[in-house]
Amino acid sequence: MHTSLRASLVALTLLGGLAACSTGGGDTSAAAGGTYTIWDPYPQYDDASAWVKLLGKCGTDAGVTVKRTGYDTSDLTNKALLAAQQGSSPDVLIVDNPVVSTLAEAGVLTTTDDTKLDTTAIDKNLIAAGQSGGKSYGIPIGANTLALYYNKPVLQAAGVDIAGVKDWPSLTAALAKVKAAGKKGITFSAIGTEEGSFQFLPWFWGSGANLTKLDSPEGLSAVQLWTGWLHSGYAPNSVIGNTQTTSWQEFATGDYAFAENGTWQLANAKKAGFDYGIIPIPAKGGGTAPAPTGGEFVSIPVQKDASRYPQTKKLVECLTNTDNSLTTVTTLSYIAPTAAVQDKQVAANPELKVWVDAVKAAKGRTSDNLGTRYPKISQQLWTSVQAALASAGK
């Protein structure tokens, strides 16, 4: 275990520098009924937030005191690996789903079989994002993904019927009409980071391509789609440096017909000042393209003291049960990982139906048994797409 942990620490040091050790480690000496630690990637939520209040309630229900620390996502991974090496892991660890396989292969996490956590109600495509070697290493707390926002007035002025946008050719034809009408076509993020890969994957997978063969004819057709849009002026050269935030800011000007973005922009969409709609990202030949799943997993790290697991299990079950899941996904702007809670979300807000459908068609980035190979593949992907777009934009 220590050998694999050390290897992971070295790899993360090379990628971005190991975060300095700080306070917040688990109180591993506490007995059941004492203090249990939870680390999450939501530092934006303070003690007055619904999220932190839920953590406290779950602790009370389990008969323990919860000590919660929120870290930035990148910092959390490094701290989790270091804590495991030092034998001071938190009792509950909530991490971004692509990180699960890294921690699992390093021996940091228990499996749901080990802790007897029930995952039968979880959508199979969502639990797959936290699996490695056929074993599940936690429960998804919720999921988000990507879809296409569209500006209704811009499309109407260009004579585009959104109902006819069902595949790549019809989408490209719509962009051509929008440009001819004097407006801008589509904006997205193609920055040379994981964000760029995240936004490209629906088109890559929607072509029928597989991440194990980036240079397949299908994969190349997805690159050609994006480069063709830039070459034709349907997408701006700024996409090469756009984050998902700056891409959204372009769409919010009201000049663009489409923007690829996620559920987390719904609140901003309501403030945009123009009538908008949302459709799933179309696959090349029609239907919904598999978009990558975002969102975190609630996992239980390995502990020296196995007597802690029963109380920890109660905490995880509390955070992910049907009643509390609705509070969690609403607070974190996620789609629930179970059909029962998804139905409740849509009943409360019919606008979420398109996102529920998109999440049901979504796919984990580390699925297909990619595990810790995914980050390297992703870097190759965004590097190749960046180079192609740079040439097309000249």
Side-chain angles (χ1 to χ4, degrees):
M1 173 177 171
H2 287 308
T3 300
S4 56
L5 276 169
R6 192 175 299 112
S8 296
L9 284 165
V10 170
L12 282 168
T13 301
L14 293 173
L15 286 172
L18 183 61
C21 182
S22 66
T23 59
D27 178 12
T28 54
S29 63
T35 299
Y36 280 63
T37 53
I38 297 178
W39 290 1
D40 68 45
Y42 315 125
Q44 69 271 33
Y45 295 116
D46 60 22
D47 291 348
S49 66
W51 167 247
V52 177
K53 287 179 179 178
L54 175 60
L55 296 180
K57 177 184 180 299
C58 287
T60 300
D61 291 349
V64 301
T65 299
V66 165
K67 179 183 177 184
R68 174 259 182 176
T69 307
Y71 294 105
D72 289 331
T73 298
S74 58
D75 199 20
L76 181 57
T77 304
N78 293 326
K79 281 182 164 38
L81 283 164
L82 186 59
Q85 188 180 45
Q86 296 174 337
S88 59
S89 291
D91 294 285
V92 177
L93 182 61
I94 303 173
V95 292
D96 195 16
N97 70 70
V99 176
V100 173
S101 58
T102 298
L103 298 179
E105 292 183 30
V108 175
L109 304 178
T110 62
T111 70
T112 54
D113 288 340
D114 293 335
T115 53
K116 310 302 180 186
L117 284 169
D118 184 7
T119 63
T120 55
I122 307 293
D123 285 354
K124 301 303 180 186
N125 65 317
L126 299 185
I127 194 72
Q131 292 178 329
S132 180
K135 296 182 180 295
S136 300
Y137 288 86
I139 295 178
I141 202 165
N144 55 30
T145 193
L146 298 164
L148 291 181
Y149 288 83
Y150 63 91
N151 184 317
K152 291 183 179 181
V154 168
L155 292 186
Q156 185 176 8
V160 174
D161 180 3
I162 193 64
V165 178
K166 297 181 177 179
D167 51 23
W168 290 4
S170 58
L171 175 57
T172 301
L175 298 178
K177 287 185 176 182
V178 168
K179 183 186 177 185
K183 290 292 187 178
K184 299 176 181 179
I186 186 169
T187 179
F188 48 86
S189 169
I191 193 170
T193 67
E194 177 59 25
E195 275 189 276
S197 290
F198 189 78
Q199 289 241 319
F200 183 65
L201 280 173
W203 312 97
F204 183 82
W205 283 332
S207 73
N210 190 291
L211 285 172
T212 58
K213 191 174 182 182
L214 296 182
D215 61 350
S216 67
E218 294 83 4
L220 292 175
S221 72
V223 177
Q224 290 164 355
L225 178 72
W226 272 20
T227 56
W229 287 348
L230 257 70
H231 184 73
S232 300
Y234 302 157
N237 289 341
S238 59
V239 300
I240 298 173
N242 268 350
T243 63
Q244 293 181 107
T245 298
T246 56
S247 171
W248 180 263
Q249 290 169 348
E250 289 180 335
F251 181 66
T253 63
D255 293 330
Y256 285 84
F258 294 94
E260 179 184 356
N261 230 295
T263 46
W264 53 90
Q265 297 291 5
L266 272 175
N268 288 328
K270 297 179 188 301
K271 301 174 184 176
F274 54 81
D275 199 8
Y276 72 93
I278 306 167
I279 60 171
I281 296 173
K284 183 176 183 178
T288 299
T293 56
E296 290 78 38
F297 268 62
V298 187
S299 57
I300 299 178
V302 173
Q303 300 290 343
K304 291 180 180 179
D305 182 2
S307 69
R308 301 184 67 82
Y309 292 139
Q311 299 302 106
T312 303
K313 180 185 176 185
K314 290 180 181 179
L315 291 174
V316 174
E317 289 173 337
C318 177
L319 290 174
T320 57
N321 69 35
T322 299
D323 292 336
N324 291 334
S325 178
L326 184 58
T327 299
T328 299
V329 296
T330 300
T331 301
L332 302 178
S333 297
Y334 285 149
I335 298 302
T338 64
V341 182
Q342 290 167 2
D343 291 344
K344 290 185 178 182
Q345 286 184 278
V346 174
N349 182 4
E351 188 178 25
L352 293 179
K353 177 65 166 60
V354 65
W355 292 108
V356 169
D357 292 343
V359 163
K360 285 185 177 297
K363 184 175 180 177
R365 283 165 278 175
T366 57
S367 296
D368 298 327
N369 292 317
L370 293 181
T372 53
R373 289 187 292 159
Y374 173 75
K376 294 180 181 178
I377 294 172
S378 177
Q379 185 170 12
Q380 293 171 8
L381 187 64
W382 81 58
T383 300
S384 298
V385 171
Q386 279 254 304
L389 292 176
S391 296
K394 291 180 180 179

